[in-house]
Amino acid sequence: MIVSVSENRAALAPRRELTRRQQEAVLAIGHYRHIRKAGAAWEIGPHRFSQSIVDVLVTRQLAREASRSLSLTLAGQLVEKRLKDGQP
């Protein structure tokens, strides 16, 4: 089911709705261009994230997985901006 950005709780309050590691993953996906699947984990720049963390981001419609790469959705871009700006 597709949820609009205005109804996505993670997009409205990312610091409350996402764990620290999930927040780091959103920031890494938005920042680094080197993103690849490495076994059971994802390499995003110099960071490694488990598949379960990426699955949560995809389920919450913050990221999309396409051809062994990841990109942020519109809601994910909003989360990235809010995290960078220090908004709650």
Side-chain angles (χ1 to χ4, degrees):
M1 175 170 57
I2 297 176
V3 178
S4 71
V5 174
S6 64
E7 294 174 353
N8 189 331
R9 292 182 4 192
L12 298 176
R15 294 194 191 279
R16 185 175 18 166
E17 296 292 325
L18 300 174
T19 65
R20 171 80 63 196
R21 195 71 175 142
Q22 291 166 353
Q23 293 173 26
E24 291 171 359
V26 169
L27 291 172
I29 294 168
H31 182 73
Y32 295 105
R33 295 182 74 194
H34 174 75
I35 300 173
R36 72 181 189 97
K37 181 90 165 152
W42 284 89
E43 286 184 4
I44 304 172
H47 308 284
R48 290 180 67 95
F49 296 97
S50 68
Q51 181 66 47
S52 63
I53 289 175
V54 172
D55 288 343
V56 169
L57 297 179
V58 171
T59 301
R60 289 180 168 234
Q61 299 176 358
L62 302 177
R64 72 176 65 87
E65 187 176 343
S67 67
R68 300 183 57 92
S69 186
L70 296 170
S71 62
L72 293 177
T73 62
L74 183 61
Q77 293 171 8
L78 179 62
V79 168
E80 179 189 22
K81 182 177 181 339
R82 287 185 178 206
L83 292 173
K84 283 182 178 177
D85 293 344
Q87 296 178 2

